[in-house]
Amino acid sequence: MLIADAATDWSWNPVADLRQMWAFPFMVNAFRAGAIVAVLAGVIGWYMVLRRQSFAGHTLSTVAFPGAAGATLLGVGAVYGYFTFCVGAALVIAAIPRAGGHESGHGSGGGSGGGEEAAVTGTIQAFLLGAGFLFIALYKGFLGGVDALLFGSFLGVTTTQVEVLAAVGAAVLLVLAVVGRPLLFASVDPAVAAARGVPVRLLSTVFLVVLGAATAATSQITGALLVFALLVMPAATAQNLTARPVLGIAASVGIALAVTWTSLTVAYYSPYPIGFWVTTFAFAAYAASWGVRLLRERRGRAPGRRAVAAAGTPAWTSGSLL
């Protein structure tokens, strides 16, 4: 069913349009789920970008596709496949040995450990993506839902899904609240963190698991291929705007919320999938942040990774994140 079949045209009366849109229970559920997804993506994405683990995030988002396809093939809910495959892949990536015994490259950068992780991560991604298409071929009745799995849909969001997302979101945010400060330290300077007794490897594993859970949750709205946009672009936009961790996370969440809710509204009144609008609005925000960054660079006030590090490091001497 197309959105055009369920909704009228945009009337340019915002109040009337919102009332008309929210008269449908699936749209109310979509906005609730979208809010949860945006908060998750904004928080976890900020850490992911800071840690330079975008490739791992991309792999986990890709893994969501074979997870949902495999679950449907087995006759269980796709949500179970999302979480099983994403969290399982996160554990596999976390088990890859690093050079020097700590996170020297954060998964995408320097050293042989980072190169090995990238190679294994890419192998996992390619294999499981192929497995997803195999699952679809084995269960031919599932072919009609491929576009929704890959590019997202909000027509099928149920109250049960919203409740599951809320439970997962609360669990992920609780874990991040507990490990957030040492994780920030380990992300900024893993060598110094390890020397001070911070369990860098354990924190990396915990982060990848919560990243997998957040990816599985987000995939149900944006689709397996476009979840990456909601994880990366709001966080990257926020880090272009501010170097302060708390303000950066808040900005990332705010941008993700604005992108998600705007995309839901526009997708409701258009025949195009929500994934297209998510990527379009998120990219527009990111491009605008670069304009702001360039203006600041001309004035000598551009925040960068060194600035984020400078903002984060004092948290371990003063007891404050700011």
Side-chain angles (χ1 to χ4, degrees):
M1 181 177 71
L2 295 176
I3 297 300
D5 297 330
T8 59
D9 293 332
W10 183 260
S11 69
W12 297 103
N13 183 337
V15 175
D17 289 331
L18 289 176
R19 286 178 178 175
Q20 191 276 331
M21 180 172 59
W22 286 340
F24 295 96
F26 74 87
M27 284 304 300
V28 176
N29 286 333
F31 271 82
R32 290 171 177 170
I36 298 168
V37 162
V39 172
L40 276 179
V43 175
I44 201 76
W46 189 90
Y47 280 101
M48 183 185 73
V49 172
L50 178 67
R51 292 172 59 80
R52 301 191 298 276
Q53 287 190 303
S54 297
F55 185 51
H58 179 264
T59 296
L60 294 177
S61 66
T62 303
V63 165
F65 165 61
T72 303
L73 176 63
L74 294 176
V76 298
V79 62
Y80 299 107
Y82 279 124
F83 285 103
T84 300
F85 270 60
C86 288
V87 175
L91 289 172
V92 172
I93 295 173
I96 301 170
R98 273 72 167 179
H102 57 75
E103 304 296 295
S104 59
H106 301 314
S108 64
S112 59
E116 182 178 357
E117 179 178 348
V120 176
T121 301
T123 301
I124 294 171
Q125 178 184 134
F127 170 72
L128 290 179
L129 186 59
F133 285 103
L134 174 63
F135 297 153
I136 289 175
L138 293 175
Y139 183 41
K140 297 179 175 58
F142 189 69
L143 290 176
V146 175
D147 287 345
L149 276 181
L150 293 177
F151 303 107
S153 174
F154 54 88
L155 289 174
V157 178
T158 64
T159 302
T160 301
Q161 277 184 304
V162 175
E163 293 171 352
V164 171
L165 287 175
V168 172
V172 168
L173 294 178
L174 178 62
V175 171
L176 285 177
V178 173
V179 306
R181 292 174 64 181
L183 179 63
L184 175 61
F185 189 22
S187 301
V188 168
D189 197 333
V192 174
R196 294 191 181 183
V198 177
V200 176
R201 185 64 185 271
L202 176 60
L203 287 171
S204 178
T205 300
V206 171
F207 175 74
L208 284 170
V209 170
V210 296
L211 176 60
T215 301
T218 308
S219 297
Q220 299 176 60
I221 300 296
T222 63
L225 294 184
L226 298 177
V227 58
F228 187 60
L230 201 56
L231 281 171
V232 171
M233 284 194 273
T237 301
Q239 291 191 15
N240 269 343
L241 296 175
T242 179
R244 295 181 177 274
V246 172
L247 292 179
I249 292 173
S252 179
V253 170
I255 294 167
L257 275 171
V259 166
T260 302
W261 283 348
T262 303
S263 299
L264 281 169
T265 302
V266 176
Y268 176 81
Y269 287 101
S270 74
Y272 307 112
I274 183 175
F276 165 74
W277 296 114
V278 167
T279 54
T280 298
F281 293 131
F283 179 77
Y286 181 65
S289 74
W290 267 105
V292 174
R293 185 185 180 95
L294 291 175
L295 290 176
R296 288 182 175 180
E297 283 182 348
R298 291 184 178 182
R299 300 173 183 175
R301 296 188 306 160
R305 186 169 300 278
R306 292 182 180 274
V308 173
T313 301
W316 301 100
T317 58
S318 66
S320 173
L321 282 176
L322 289 177

